Amino acid sequence: MSVEKYSFDFEVYQSQQELSAQDFALLQAAQKAAENAYAPYSNFHVGAAAHLNNGEIITGSNQENASYPVGTCAERVLLGTAATLFPNMPIQTMAISYTNEKGLSNHPISPCGMCRQYLLEYESRVNQPIRLILGGKEGKIYIIKTVTSLLPLNFSAEDF
Ligand code: THU
């Protein structure tokens, strides 16, 4: 028997002012996209913005439903849009932001488990890591080099 350890490195920025101009702009696009969320049930508005390899910026926002499980997270809305508009186009960076029901947005949020799995599939189908920028309108920002880090011991097509 052995005990294995899993860890990964990520960057922590104290505020948006520390970001590069390009990363700052993408995070702002994610915050703007959150304004288009349809979230009457949770009042938690999430926005995602992606910078594709071809230079395009596309966005997504969470879209809820009276039948709660039918609702879709911002990240998966974005990925479906990316795959439809620009098939097989890798995503260099995706920013994710939000505003909660009190109008607050002061710490990074991380993609939910289902979105991590979905993001992982996107990385593997286009064979390029997706760099993530996680942050609110204020507070710390996390930058993670690849979604794979967020899903250790993952299940993927390689397991078939
Ligand atoms: N949500 C997202 O869109 N992305 C995340 O990363 C976390 C959660 C949405 C799902 C639901 O509409 C609302 O936020 C509250 O969970």
Side-chain angles (χ1 to χ4, degrees), residues 43-45 97-107 136-138:
N43 282 313
F44 193 78
H45 295 76
S97 195
Y98 71 100
T99 306
N100 75 12
E101 62 183 337
K102 292 179 184 146
L104 296 176
S105 176
N106 54 17
H107 66 273
K137 288 181 185 154
E138 302 171 295

Side-chain angles (χ1 to χ4, degrees), residues 84-137:
T84 305
L85 294 179
F86 302 105
N88 304 315
M89 183 60 63
I91 294 174
Q92 282 179 6
T93 305
M94 182 189 293
I96 302 165
S97 195
Y98 71 100
T99 306
N100 75 12
E101 62 183 337
K102 292 179 184 146
L104 296 176
S105 176
N106 54 17
H107 66 273
I109 61 159
S110 241
C112 77
M114 193 183 281
C115 288
R116 291 177 195 209
Q117 183 74 25
Y118 205 105
L119 284 155
L120 186 75
E121 184 87 18
Y122 198 97
E123 278 194 348
S124 72
R125 77 190 258 199
V126 300
N127 201 23
Q128 183 178 298
I130 301 174
R131 180 172 166 268
L132 293 178
I133 303 173
L134 310 178
K137 288 181 185 154

Side-chain angles (χ1 to χ4, degrees), residues 39 42 44 46 62-64 72-75 96 109-112 115:
S42 70
F44 193 78
V46 184
N62 55 328
Q63 301 295 318
E64 297 185 348
T72 310
C73 294
E75 296 89 330
I96 302 165
I109 61 159
S110 241
C112 77
C115 288

Side-chain angles (χ1 to χ4, degrees), residues 3 7 12 18 53 66 71 96 98 136 149:
V3 175
S7 68
V12 181
E18 283 184 27
N53 271 17
I96 302 165
Y98 71 100
S149 319

